[in-house]
Amino acid sequence: MTSMQLRRCSVVLFDPREEVVFDLESLASGGDGLASTLTLLALAPHLENEVPVTTNEVALLAQVSATNWIPRAEVCGRFGDALVDALLEKGLLIADSDQAPVFRERDEALRSAHWRPLAAVSHYSFRWSGVRSGDEARGAGYSTMTELAERLGPPPPHVLAHVDEPLRQSLPEGISTSFDELLARRVTCRNFDVASVLPLTVFSTMLRRVFSAQATLDIQKDNTVIKRTSPSGGGLHPTEAYLLVSRVEGVSPGLYHYHSGGHSLEPLASELALDDLALRCVAAQRYFADAHVLVVMASRFPRNFWKYRNHAKAYRVVTLDVGHLSQTLYLSATDLGLGAFITGAINEVEIEAAFGMDPLVVSPIAVCGFGIRAQERVSTEFDPLGTVWEPGTNRLRDRG
């Protein structure tokens, strides 16, 4: 009978995390009244949570290959059965047997995706679940720039200057076209008309402009590239549009995936209440949850990492891809007289569960939204040029 083989999980980082708390005993004895505890945590993307570890466990993991399988007897002979069993239970040691198959399957999925280790830990560790940042900001009195400045002091200067004004070279105003007017009207919307329905043709136009494949090119068999209206690293376009549709003419409220090649909607089954899910998607930012359409921009990592394998810049390129698409969405919405937004304050874990995503393969980077603006401004919007709202009022400008 073949003996069990072991190896270390493919990616793991260690974080010595210190927590400082008030200590009355320290204060009474003449100290500073503070006590600190140090916890050593293992951060492994194939696991759901951070895992407390001991220095002895770290020492073992540092001496076991993540690539080559080693007989369990050999590892136990060096470190003891108890230490090996503890790390197998935590999922930081992987066995080639049926013991803890979930850990091995998740670790294999991570390996096959060609993640850069630091990017994998960062992406997986920063995903939110159950966060209500909108409520928390309001409760803490951090919902406006004025409140922030009162608590935190003034921010860094609004513009960066390297030399004094006399040493700067002034530039001409340049050419002004209708595109400049469009850019001036690009304002993040926090006031959507919840009583209106978005026309199907407008909805379709938005998706076609921003996310559809404008053209395709077959490089070779099973190797096709697409052209979108936004750039993408390596021409790979790994960003997928998953939709939460609330109020669109002719489209049943629900969850969808946008098929960019066929310019069509793929219905996704869900038992969740849409309004509650929308609110949880954007971390309780009610003004965003009211949009007619929420667009979860999720990266399909194997598409990018197929070319940029374990690459130091691969994850950065993925995030740039989402940024390009969001600006195109903003400008398209503005051109059509709609409001739009983007937010990174999202509950990735709950979005993944709702849309059936595996976060090692497909995961949200940001959520955008678009829809018809409300006639009255209830939530504050940053519109210093007065291009959307009538200056001095909370009324929407008349575009007629």
Side-chain angles (χ1 to χ4, degrees), residues 260-275:
S260 61
H263 185 50
S264 56
L265 299 178
E266 298 178 327
L268 302 176
S270 176
E271 302 296 327
L272 302 172
L274 282 188
D275 185 68

Side-chain angles (χ1 to χ4, degrees), residues 225-242:
V225 294
I226 69 173
K227 173 179 172 55
R228 279 177 171 167
T229 53
S230 300
S232 180
L236 296 169
H237 293 287
T239 306
E240 297 292 326
Y242 289 86

Side-chain angles (χ1 to χ4, degrees), residues 78-90:
R78 295 172 59 192
F79 299 99
D81 288 327
L83 210 55
V84 169
D85 288 339
L87 288 172
L88 282 170
E89 185 176 346
K90 292 176 180 180

Side-chain angles (χ1 to χ4, degrees), residues 131-380:
V131 174
R132 300 181 63 85
S133 64
D135 293 345
E136 291 164 5
R138 286 186 291 274
Y142 279 14
S143 59
T144 69
M145 289 291 285
T146 300
E147 291 171 340
L148 279 170
E150 288 173 351
R151 284 171 165 75
L152 308 178
H158 64 292
V159 295
L160 180 64
H162 284 284
V163 298
D164 293 333
E165 186 173 0
L167 298 176
R168 300 174 198 154
Q169 178 182 346
S170 296
L171 299 173
E173 286 296 319
I175 301 168
S176 181
T177 70
S178 58
F179 184 64
D180 295 274
E181 298 175 6
L182 179 66
L183 291 173
R185 289 189 282 114
R186 190 209 62 80
V187 173
T188 294
C189 181
R190 290 187 169 195
N191 297 271
F192 291 98
D193 184 355
V194 296
S196 65
V197 176
L198 188 68
L200 179 60
T201 53
V202 177
F203 169 73
S204 178
T205 300
M206 283 290 295
L207 296 180
R208 175 181 56 78
R209 283 180 173 183
V210 183
F211 297 107
S212 75
Q214 306 293 313
T216 61
L217 177 64
D218 294 326
I219 304 297
Q220 56 191 180
K221 187 178 184 297
D222 298 326
N223 185 1
T224 301
V225 294
I226 69 173
K227 173 179 172 55
R228 279 177 171 167
T229 53
S230 300
S232 180
L236 296 169
H237 293 287
T239 306
E240 297 292 326
Y242 289 86
L243 312 177
L244 191 158
V245 176
S246 295
R247 301 181 306 283
V248 174
E249 174 193 23
V251 179
S252 297
L255 305 186
Y256 297 87
H257 170 251
Y258 174 67
H259 189 284
S260 61
H263 185 50
S264 56
L265 299 178
E266 298 178 327
L268 302 176
S270 176
E271 302 296 327
L272 302 172
L274 282 188
D275 185 68
D276 180 61
L277 177 59
L279 198 59
R280 287 190 282 128
C281 282
V282 294
Q285 298 173 95
R286 177 78 263 178
Y287 39 78
F288 290 155
D290 286 339
H292 296 64
V293 180
L294 296 186
V295 183
V296 175
M297 294 198 293
S299 288
R300 189 158 47 105
F301 301 114
R303 176 69 181 172
N304 183 276
F305 299 168
W306 165 81
K307 177 178 181 179
Y308 302 112
R309 300 187 175 212
N310 193 25
H311 196 289
K313 301 296 183 182
Y315 189 74
R316 179 177 294 185
V317 170
V318 162
T319 59
L320 286 172
D321 201 75
V322 169
H324 297 319
L325 288 165
S326 70
Q327 177 69 335
T328 303
L329 183 143
Y330 260 102
L331 295 179
S332 178
T334 303
D335 177 64
L336 294 169
L338 304 176
F341 74 85
I342 182 173
T343 180
I346 63 176
N347 282 310
E348 293 93 337
V349 174
E350 289 159 87
I351 294 172
E352 290 159 356
F355 286 93
M357 301 175 184
D358 180 341
L360 295 180
V361 180
V362 182
S363 185
I365 302 296
V367 171
C368 286
F370 59 90
I372 299 170
R373 283 185 173 275
Q375 292 296 312
E376 296 291 328
R377 178 169 49 182
V378 176
S379 296
T380 302

Side-chain angles (χ1 to χ4, degrees), residues 23-95:
D23 185 359
L24 182 60
E25 185 176 336
S26 168
L27 188 66
S29 61
D32 58 7
L34 300 176
S36 65
T37 57
L38 195 64
T39 303
L40 193 56
L41 296 171
L43 312 179
H46 72 293
L47 304 178
E48 281 297 323
N49 301 298
E50 302 165 340
V51 179
V53 289
T54 66
T55 53
N56 287 337
E57 290 172 338
V58 173
L60 185 157
L61 292 168
Q63 298 179 61
V64 173
S65 173
T67 305
N68 301 319
W69 293 100
I70 305 171
R72 176 192 166 107
E74 179 181 329
V75 182
C76 289
R78 295 172 59 192
F79 299 99
D81 288 327
L83 210 55
V84 169
D85 288 339
L87 288 172
L88 282 170
E89 185 176 346
K90 292 176 180 180
L92 298 172
L93 275 182
I94 304 297

